[in-house]
Amino acid sequence: MLPGILKDKTVLVTGAASGIGRKIAELSSVGGATVILCDLNRAALDDVLGGLATGGADHRAVVCDVTDNDDIAKAFAGQGKIDAVVHSAGMWRP
């Protein structure tokens, strides 16, 4: 991703604490976006949040269960304009 390509954009990423969601969040921040990280794992979210490129962005982490409509509403509430949503949260059951 080219640095600055997402300047002044806000990207909300579900499943942002690991895997593909984490990488998308990291690349979005490098691209200049403000990133809203959503996941169930607070400790992992904080770890990702601490490692994002800053560039003056106001990245945020929100604990969110994407299977719960109230959690989804809370994740979006008060965030202002969101330019992109990447739904990467998933669950694997054997």
Side-chain angles (χ1 to χ4, degrees):
M1 174 151 320
L2 299 172
I5 199 166
L6 294 174
K7 184 173 173 18
D8 300 324
K9 303 294 183 193
T10 299
V11 178
L12 184 143
V13 182
T14 68
S18 63
I20 293 169
R22 179 180 183 144
K23 195 60 171 180
I24 290 169
E26 292 168 349
L27 290 172
S28 295
S29 72
V30 169
T34 296
V35 182
I36 303 166
L37 307 164
C38 298
D39 202 283
L40 286 172
N41 187 333
R42 179 80 223 186
L45 278 175
D46 289 340
D47 181 53
V48 175
L49 186 63
L52 292 180
T54 55
D58 182 26
H59 307 301
R60 299 176 286 287
V62 179
V63 174
C64 177
D65 177 352
V66 298
T67 68
D68 183 314
N69 288 337
D70 290 335
D71 267 11
I72 294 168
K74 289 176 190 173
F76 280 86
Q79 301 295 356
K81 180 180 178 226
I82 296 174
D83 299 289
V85 175
V86 180
H87 180 54
S88 181
M91 179 185 290
W92 178 79
R93 293 184 182 160

